[in-house]
Amino acid sequence: MSITRSGARPAAVVLAACLGLGLVVSPAVADQQDTFAVRSLPQDVANSVNLTGVNRHLIALQRIAEQNGGTRADGEPGYDASVEYVVGRLRAAGYDVSTPEFDYELFVATTERLAVAGESVEVEALEYTPSTAEGGITAPLAVLPAGSELGCTPEDYAGVEAAGSVLLIRRGECDFALKARLASEAGAAAALIANNAEGSLSGTLGDPSLATIPTGGVTRAEGDALFSQAGDEVDFELIAGFETRTSRNVIAQTRTGRTDNVVLAGAHLDSVYAGINDNGTGSAGLLETAIQLGGAPDVDNAVRFAWWGAEELGLHGSTEYVRSLDFEQQLDIALYLNFDMIGSPNAGYFVLDGDGSEGLSAPGPYGSAQIEQAFVDYFSDGGVETEGSDFSGRSDYAEFIAVGIPSGGLFTGAEGLKTEEQAEKWGGVAGEAYDPNYHFPEDDLGNVDRVALERNAKAVAYVTAAYGESTETVNGVPPRAERAAVRAATRSTASSPADRADLVTS
Ligand code: DTR
Ligand code: ZN
Ligand code: ZN
């Protein structure tokens, strides 16, 4: 039974449910029909959440970035200022708010130094690279020959005097970790990977277990020059490793509603740079929903809001939060809703693919399909056809799914390219990224589609409030009114048949 757009569960439906359960509805229960007042909380909150309110939060986050060195990245003052902003608005709206801390391991390069033939060259440590010896290594430069400079197969290294060298490889076609491994197997002491696009090469080996030899990235221009310098002396020092960092999430919960069947809605508050679309939009839409819902709404299930730290550094805030809960505390969470990028400038209308129908990821835990359907129905009622976005693990729903909590959410797209068909139905520009400024400093107030933002923010409000009323379609926990009706019906059928002329017995 999907959530109706009005968010109401007409008394007739509840009554029918009782009858459907084979329960005889006594007059006492029938009289309660008026207690099944058609509830309209979801639509009321969705009506109250509008662009004016959401955009004010975006402006606030932009100013926070501009007042703090241009960034709201976790670990920077801009993130802490973002936390204080959200906390202040939530407390003003009547919530009890906490900012629980969490630790996480961050890979940091403390020394990145490269010189070739005595000339200094800009170099960036790839994430998870091993370090050189303190003071660095001195070795001859070796380069892969033309036509095989991508170094993705052992054959590419044939005929190269790689032993003990610093080996230069071109980016492309295969992972950095594979290139480094093959270079190592060819005898290289270290590897340099030349970018194949403008700008520095900020890359990762993917996992510490894939690290082999010290590996750094150089720009395309530097790489082009170095490919003609085989044999020159290289002086290369990379010192890098893990540091323990501490950050904090923002958690706020309504004072009303069951605390053993909590609706949790989250958005990451940190950014790579200014991060207005990613993820000021999700944070702002969620904050305005919390404000308009209020700290003590007429909900059956408590609604918990979360703004996560360190998502961009590895989903750390949400992951450490879930892992900080014991089994019973996780069991108290009925479902998780994730809102990460809901105002992309070339927006797609994506709903996290709870039933796995896109074929790109497995279905989410039971209930995730119903959450997807709730969002699909909401947008469809508003005349917008959505598409599924696979559970790629690239946002804060990941750990919730990992422990079996049904999850879903909204996403308007990042680096993926909009198709012709999508441009037909959603507008925007085919062949361009949903967010061309994804993870660039230009992800600022000018990088938002405000029609998409308002539509998505209203969907956040509607579906979150609707689950506040009832999670029955997700986990079978009926709303308060239904439970009362069943109790009353049970009491009435429990009385002796003799004094119950109204009892229907055949
Ligand atoms: N990880 C998000 C962007 C992102 C990429 N794929 C998805 C899917 C669903 C939500 C978000 C995303 C970020 O860069 O913050
Ligand atoms: Zn991001
Ligand atoms: Zn994000």
Side-chain angles (χ1 to χ4, degrees):
M1 186 188 306
S2 68
I3 297 168
T4 57
R5 187 168 174 76
S6 66
R9 296 179 61 79
V13 170
V14 176
L15 229 43
C18 292
L19 294 174
L21 292 172
L23 296 165
V24 173
V25 181
S26 71
V29 176
D31 292 347
Q32 285 181 30
Q33 281 191 42
D34 56 357
T35 61
F36 301 151
V38 172
R39 303 171 77 171
S40 62
L41 179 68
Q43 196 56 56
D44 292 348
V45 182
N47 292 343
S48 305
V49 168
N50 56 43
L51 182 61
T52 303
V54 177
N55 199 48
R56 183 177 175 85
H57 303 314
L58 287 189
I59 297 166
L61 294 175
Q62 178 74 48
R63 294 202 182 165
I64 285 168
E66 286 171 356
Q67 293 171 17
N68 289 281
T71 181
R72 299 186 307 102
D74 194 292
E76 300 294 335
Y79 177 71
D80 285 322
S82 301
V83 167
E84 294 312 317
Y85 173 76
V86 171
V87 168
R89 296 305 311 269
L90 289 168
R91 286 194 171 128
Y95 285 88
D96 291 328
V97 189
S98 64
T99 55
E101 289 189 347
F102 60 90
D103 288 342
Y104 62 95
E105 294 300 300
L106 183 66
F107 191 82
V108 180
T110 50
T111 304
E112 299 167 299
R113 184 176 58 77
L114 175 65
V116 181
E119 292 294 315
S120 179
V121 176
E122 183 193 332
V123 67
E124 271 198 52
L126 266 64
E127 186 182 34
Y128 307 133
T129 178
S131 297
T132 62
E134 288 285 341
I137 60 172
T138 301
L141 179 68
V143 302
L144 292 179
S148 65
E149 65 269 28
L150 293 181
C152 294
T153 66
E155 292 69 32
D156 285 356
Y157 298 80
V160 178
E161 288 191 28
S165 75
V166 175
L167 186 52
L168 181 63
I169 308 163
R170 179 77 70 187
R171 178 182 185 183
E173 280 189 13
C174 63
D175 291 347
F176 300 135
L178 175 61
K179 295 174 190 275
R181 179 167 61 80
L182 292 173
S184 169
E185 289 168 1
L192 292 174
I193 296 174
N195 206 351
N196 58 1
E198 282 310 307
S200 60
L201 186 146
S202 301
T204 179
L205 295 176
D207 186 276
S209 64
L210 299 175
T212 49
I213 51 177
T215 305
V218 297
T219 65
R220 176 164 59 187
E222 295 284 9
D224 291 347
L226 292 176
F227 267 103
S228 60
Q229 292 182 243
D232 282 3
E233 184 177 87
V234 178
D235 182 12
F236 186 27
E237 185 177 16
L238 281 187
I239 305 298
F242 285 96
E243 289 180 3
T244 300
R245 292 288 175 85
T246 301
S247 184
R248 48 186 181 149
N249 295 318
V250 179
I251 306 290
Q253 183 163 308
T254 59
R255 295 191 171 103
T256 46
R258 298 175 60 160
T259 56
D260 66 346
N261 192 51
V262 174
V263 175
L264 176 55
H268 74 85
L269 184 58
D270 68 309
S271 65
V272 183
Y273 293 98
I276 294 303
N277 182 39
D278 181 19
N279 184 37
T281 56
S283 295
L286 193 68
L287 179 57
E288 192 60 13
T289 291
I291 291 168
Q292 296 306 327
L293 180 69
D298 174 23
V299 289
D300 290 8
N301 307 307
V303 181
R304 185 179 302 165
F305 296 93
W307 287 265
W308 306 118
E311 186 270 354
E312 297 288 5
L313 300 173
L315 313 182
H316 293 299
S318 55
T319 300
E320 295 311 316
Y321 175 78
V322 174
R323 292 179 182 173
S324 73
L325 304 177
D326 64 27
F327 184 76
E328 288 299 322
Q329 290 169 318
Q330 289 178 7
L331 206 51
D332 287 341
I333 298 172
L335 57 94
Y336 174 67
L337 305 176
N338 190 66
F339 305 109
D340 184 357
M341 301 175 75
I342 64 169
S344 302
N346 190 26
Y349 287 88
F350 296 107
V351 178
L352 290 183
D353 186 21
D355 65 1
S357 57
E358 296 294 320
L360 299 171
S361 56
Y366 181 83
S368 304
Q370 289 81 340
I371 294 169
E372 177 184 11
Q373 195 59 52
F375 283 114
V376 169
D377 290 348
Y378 177 81
F379 275 106
S380 168
D381 285 358
V384 177
E385 181 193 342
T386 55
E387 290 185 15
S389 171
D390 62 303
F391 273 136
S392 60
R394 286 181 59 185
S395 194
D396 291 306
Y397 54 77
E399 194 66 17
F400 291 93
I401 288 176
V403 299
I405 295 174
S407 301
L410 299 175
F411 175 51
T412 49
E415 76 283 3
L417 303 183
K418 182 173 279 185
T419 66
E420 291 290 347
E421 184 220 356
Q422 290 171 342
E424 271 300 304
K425 66 180 169 183
W426 293 333
V429 182
E432 283 210 0
Y434 303 108
D435 180 354
N437 295 309
Y438 171 61
H439 282 190
F440 280 97
E442 291 73 22
D443 179 8
D444 55 24
L445 270 181
N447 189 53
V448 174
D449 173 336
R450 285 176 171 75
V451 171
L453 175 58
E454 183 169 58
R455 285 173 173 171
N456 277 274
K458 286 180 178 290
V460 171
Y462 184 91
V463 173
T464 301
Y467 284 128
E469 285 188 335
S470 170
T471 62
E472 189 172 13
T473 58
V474 170
N475 64 4
V477 175
R480 180 178 58 220
E482 251 175 61
R483 296 197 303 276
V486 170
R487 279 196 300 276
T490 309
R491 275 196 302 278
S492 69
T493 50
S495 54
S496 60
D499 60 19
R500 297 298 315 225
D502 61 329
L503 199 62
V504 177
T505 55
S506 60

